[in-house]
Structures are given as structure tokens and as C-alpha cells.
Amino acid sequence: MAEVTIKVEGMSCGGCVRNVTGVLKALPGVEDAQVSLESASAQVRYDPARVEPAQLRAAVEGAGFDSPV
Ligand code: 9UX
């Protein structure tokens, strides 16, 4: 299992945090996601054999937020 912190920009409230957490945890290979409004980031535990950070960022972007490298 690997761990990465990605940027999540554009979150305004706890609902955003729940939404981002949900889309990340829905990805195959994602074990856990801790999303922080204050630090505009998400710490994700994942199986590198099944998913990679670029896909995590793409899922965040798909939910309407920005996740620059
Ligand atoms: Mo809060 Mo976020 O009302 O997409 S859920 S701003």
C-alpha cells in the first residue's frame, strides 16, 4: 500500500469534503482518503498496482474541484 497527498483546491464547506472523500474512496484500489478543507489537500492510501495518483487527481477534477500537480 502506498500513500500520497494531492492538492484539492476549490472546496468551500464540509459538503465538498464529503463529496471529494466519496469520489476518491469509490475508486478501485483506494483504501482510505482523508480530505482536509483547511489544507486544501487529500491524503490517500492506495494500492499502486490498481490506481495511480494521476487517476486520483482526475477523479477530484471530475467532481468539480482543481487538483494541480
Ligand atoms: Mo458546500 Mo461544496 O454548500 O461542492 S458542498 S460548497
Side-chain angles (χ1 to χ4, degrees), residues 12-68:
S12 310
C13 78
C16 299
V17 172
R18 278 190 292 279
N19 292 341
V20 171
T21 302
V23 299
L24 288 171
K25 284 187 169 178
L27 290 174
V30 171
E31 181 93 351
D32 191 30
Q34 296 298 325
V35 181
S36 168
L37 179 62
E38 290 74 15
S39 65
S41 67
Q43 187 177 340
V44 184
R45 267 167 34 88
Y46 66 101
D47 180 352
R50 299 178 71 195
V51 67
E52 60 186 33
Q55 292 170 280
L56 305 177
R57 297 204 321 277
V60 169
E61 301 257 352
F65 303 93
D66 293 319
S67 186

